[in-house]
Amino acid sequence: GSISYDEFIGVAYMLIKLQDSKSSEESPDATTTNANGEDNGDSSERASISMTRTAFTSQDEEQEEIPEELTDLPPDQQQAAIKKKAFYMLFMGTILVLYFSDPMVDVLSAIADRVNIGPFYVSFVLAPVASNASELIASQYYASKKTRKTISVALSALEGAACMNNTFCLSIFMGLIFFRGLAWQYSAETLAILLCQFVVGFFVQAPDMKYSRGALILTIFPLSIALVAGLEAIGID
């Protein structure tokens, strides 16, 4: 394994502090023994190992971020205020989605007509950027802190968004087609989405993520567009 520069500095600092505390507590003339006749060096070694582990784990600990206007409130009132604000923002976000969804569909259709490209391809590229912008920004913010906890939060948010879009939203879309009796013309798109979901799900099972694996996952997006075009070219609508 490897450690970062910050982790190395943290371990070195904790070991120096431990050595200073030992020097101030020990007498200069002798070394004490415990009831079994063992040197206290064993206990100090165990303490050193414990302090080293603490130094490693402390690098990954994150302070909970609380809005400045809530810092003076008691913990129970802080939680109530945070939940109230969260529900308010969810409600306002839902209103904005309902208000702008129809105009957005019209804009995407107009773009497709002007550039003479199928509406699906325009929506496939632009719609996720608009609908999932919040997950992208939040994940980038958490990932920039470069700790195990925040990286886990970022990956969990992205995986959750992908699962919701490719399962819950897809099931709603299929339900609308079934109950309204619409013509089914989305076999190529559905197959591409399901295949991408299985491939990404396979890659994220790894215990760690590397740049090469991330770059490979990024290529799935343009490859999925090519897959849809290829399936449609061979007659799968």
Side-chain angles (χ1 to χ4, degrees), residues 8 24 36 60 68-69 71 81 108 125 142 177 179 209 220:
F8 173 75
S24 61
N36 295 327
D60 286 338
E68 295 181 359
E69 64 271 15
T71 54
L108 295 177
V125 174
Y142 283 116
I177 292 178
F179 290 108
M209 297 296 293
I220 295 176

Side-chain angles (χ1 to χ4, degrees), residues 159-182:
E159 292 171 13
C163 291
M164 184 187 70
N165 291 337
N166 295 336
T167 54
F168 181 69
C169 295
L170 183 61
S171 64
I172 292 177
F173 174 69
M174 292 182 174
L176 289 174
I177 292 178
F178 176 77
F179 290 108
R180 297 205 172 194
L182 302 178

